Amino acid sequence: MAMKDYSDEFKADAVALYESTPGATYKSIAADLGINRATLREWVLRDRERRGTTATAAKQAARSRAAAPSVDPDERVRQLEARVAELEASERKLATERDILRKAAKYFAGGDELVTSRFQFVDGHRDTYEVKRLCQVMDVNRSSYYKWLAGAEGRAARQHQDRVLAEEIRQVHGESGGAYGSPRITAELRETGRRVNEKRVARIMRTFSNAGIRLRRRVRTTVPDPAASPVPDLFQRDFTATEPGRKYMGDITYLPLDGGKFLYLATVLDCFSRKVVGWSIADHMRTDLVADALQMTVRTRGNLDGAVFHSDHGAQYGSRAYAGLCDQLNVTRSMGAVGTSADNAACESFHASLKRETLQGAHDYGDATTCRRTVFAWLTRYNTRRRHSANGHLSPDAYERRHHAAKLTLAA
């Protein structure tokens, strides 16, 4: 501002501007006015000296005047009415949110806090409240809700497909006596032409509360014979074979009856297919029990020439009578380490599966006749129908048939 002489009015306005501006400095106000900083300062000090006040008191008075409400009664009424309207709107908003939250608390009483369920809540109450408010209270994105809403038709179709598949799973699960889990059920469905993966089967089994039978606690039946001649471990925990009839493994397990009594089962498994090629059930654990199971193996396979038979260190397998029978049948014996169940793990697993799938949570089989009939039915079905994970989910008989067919094809 190109002035050399400033009017008294200009000086008074400049001083008033400085005094009434919170946080103002001489430099900032002088720059706005286009005057020298020192000039403005001189005007302010002269005005204060004339009024007999200090800088601090002048600033506080200016702030008080700026904050003072309008003395106009009509303007004051308008301000109060505006404030009341604002508070009423806020109260309505809070009341709506409280109402939504009360209903949401009942809706989620079961503990389901999935985002999908929140979308369902919004959709179910959109006629009562605006969607924007519902999404805010439920803490979900409004665009995500509309995307979920647009996919309702496809979601309903998938749910229908899941119910159809659940019924198929329930049928397979029932036919297995409740024993099959998701891997075997998947294999069974695929064999019928159903295109489905195991993860989906497992998910639907969880949703519809289908599950395979869980393992029962095992009871140890092996009683080593300290006088038995040492027999080497020819398996070294390798329970596989490239051909049927080359490697066998056996073990004894107890079968609980009512009244605290037991029957005992001795089995012989072929390592190639896990087929039960021999078994015997008796009310004792003498050597005859395991000998009868091995004799059944001879009848099943025709002969055991050159085969290796692996067992634990039970007294029955270490007896002279059993060793003599193996020599007579041209069978080489193999035994795992004493007290190490892992050295005969495949047989242990087989017996655990048998008992969990036949007992199905019961403590015993009842009487001896029922026990024999139940175990016999399971053993035969195991060979002909039960799918085994080691066989690519084929039954032992089907796995061996495929092997023989492949050999004939190669020979031709």
Side-chain angles (χ1 to χ4, degrees):
M1 180 176 292
M3 278 189 185
K4 292 184 179 179
D5 295 323
Y6 298 96
S7 66
D8 292 340
E9 183 180 356
F10 180 89
K11 294 176 183 179
D13 289 340
V15 172
L17 176 63
Y18 172 79
E19 296 286 19
S20 64
T21 303
T25 62
Y26 290 122
K27 182 178 180 180
S28 64
I29 298 298
D32 290 341
L33 297 174
I35 62 176
N36 186 277
R37 172 185 178 280
T39 301
L40 176 62
R41 181 174 181 274
E42 181 183 354
W43 293 347
V44 170
L45 293 178
R46 282 181 183 176
D47 182 72
R48 290 176 180 171
E49 183 179 356
R50 179 180 59 81
R51 291 184 289 113
T53 184
T54 63
T56 302
K59 286 285 186 180
Q60 289 176 345
R63 282 196 294 270
S64 297
R65 288 193 299 271
S70 172
V71 295
D72 183 0
D74 292 337
E75 178 63 23
R76 183 60 177 162
V77 169
R78 284 194 295 271
Q79 290 177 355
L80 291 174
E81 288 176 344
R83 181 58 178 160
V84 169
E86 181 183 343
L87 292 173
E88 287 177 345
S90 178
E91 175 62 24
R92 285 194 299 271
K93 177 182 176 182
L94 291 173
T96 300
E97 291 181 355
R98 284 196 299 270
D99 194 29
I100 292 173
L101 289 172
R102 277 196 297 268
K103 293 180 179 179
K106 296 177 182 178
Y107 187 86
F108 295 108
D112 186 358
E113 297 181 358
L114 296 175
V115 173
T116 299
S117 293
R118 297 183 187 186
F119 288 157
Q120 290 170 345
F121 178 83
V122 172
D123 196 51
H125 294 79
R126 60 185 301 181
D127 293 336
T128 307
Y129 309 101
E130 62 176 353
V131 171
K132 179 181 178 181
R133 179 69 63 218
L134 285 165
C135 288
Q136 287 175 343
V137 175
M138 289 293 99
D139 193 25
V140 294
N141 190 286
R142 195 167 16 147
S143 62
S144 299
Y145 161 70
Y146 284 119
K147 184 177 180 180
W148 172 85
L149 194 62
E153 185 176 342
R155 195 162 51 251
R158 288 192 297 273
Q159 290 172 351
H160 174 71
Q161 293 169 0
D162 282 355
R163 286 193 295 270
V164 172
L165 181 57
E167 184 57 36
E168 296 175 12
I169 290 172
R170 188 178 292 108
Q171 184 177 350
V172 174
H173 190 254
E175 290 176 352
S176 72
Y180 278 9
S182 58
R184 290 189 175 92
I185 288 180
T186 302
E188 190 80 25
L189 292 172
R190 285 175 178 172
E191 190 168 282
T192 64
R194 193 70 150 89
R195 296 183 62 183
V196 66
N197 62 56
E198 185 186 333
K199 288 183 178 179
R200 186 182 177 200
V201 171
R203 174 178 61 80
I204 292 178
M205 290 181 73
R206 287 194 302 270
T207 302
F208 291 87
S209 301
N210 287 327
I213 301 166
R214 298 183 181 275
L215 282 169
R216 289 172 52 83
R217 189 174 181 179
R218 186 182 64 85
V219 176
R220 183 170 177 261
T221 57
T222 301
V223 181
D225 183 358
S229 301
V231 176
D233 183 356
L234 303 179
F235 271 35
Q236 295 297 317
R237 301 186 183 181
D238 178 9
F239 305 109
T240 62
T242 56
E243 292 283 338
R246 292 186 176 180
K247 293 170 66 177
Y248 297 100
M249 51 189 170
D251 198 5
I252 301 173
T253 192
Y254 78 103
L255 303 173
L257 306 177
D258 57 4
K261 298 180 180 179
F262 297 95
L263 289 181
Y264 300 93
L265 169 70
T267 53
V268 179
L269 305 180
D270 192 307
C271 292
F272 174 75
S273 62
R274 298 296 199 272
K275 180 173 181 175
V276 192
V277 288
W279 71 78
S280 178
I281 301 175
D283 59 0
H284 62 79
M285 291 206 315
R286 296 190 294 271
T287 301
D288 291 346
L289 178 68
V290 295
D292 289 345
L294 192 62
Q295 291 286 11
M296 181 179 175
T297 305
V298 176
R299 293 191 295 272
T300 301
R301 290 304 195 195
N303 67 78
L304 301 179
D305 289 344
V308 177
F309 176 81
H310 183 82
S311 68
D312 57 24
H313 276 265
Q316 301 84 356
Y317 295 112
S319 66
R320 291 182 181 180
Y322 192 76
L325 176 61
C326 288
D327 291 341
Q328 178 185 337
L329 298 173
N330 196 24
V331 172
T332 302
R333 289 189 299 155
S334 169
M335 286 187 176
V338 177
T340 305
S341 61
D343 288 347
N344 204 22
C347 276
E348 299 274 357
S349 176
F350 169 78
H351 287 152
S353 296
L354 181 153
K355 284 194 278 191
R356 78 166 180 264
E357 294 180 16
T358 52
L359 285 170
Q360 298 193 10
H363 294 291
D364 58 67
Y365 291 94
D367 59 78
T369 302
T370 301
C371 177
R372 285 178 179 274
R373 183 173 62 247
T374 301
V375 173
F376 173 80
W378 189 90
L379 290 171
T380 54
R381 190 179 186 280
Y382 173 91
N383 284 338
T384 58
R385 295 196 57 190
R386 188 182 185 279
R387 297 177 183 277
H388 202 296
S389 57
N391 298 340
H393 291 299
L394 292 176
S395 69
D397 281 355
Y399 189 68
E400 290 194 1
R401 284 196 301 270
R402 189 177 73 172
H403 174 75
H404 292 313
K407 286 186 65 175
L408 290 175
T409 302
L410 289 174

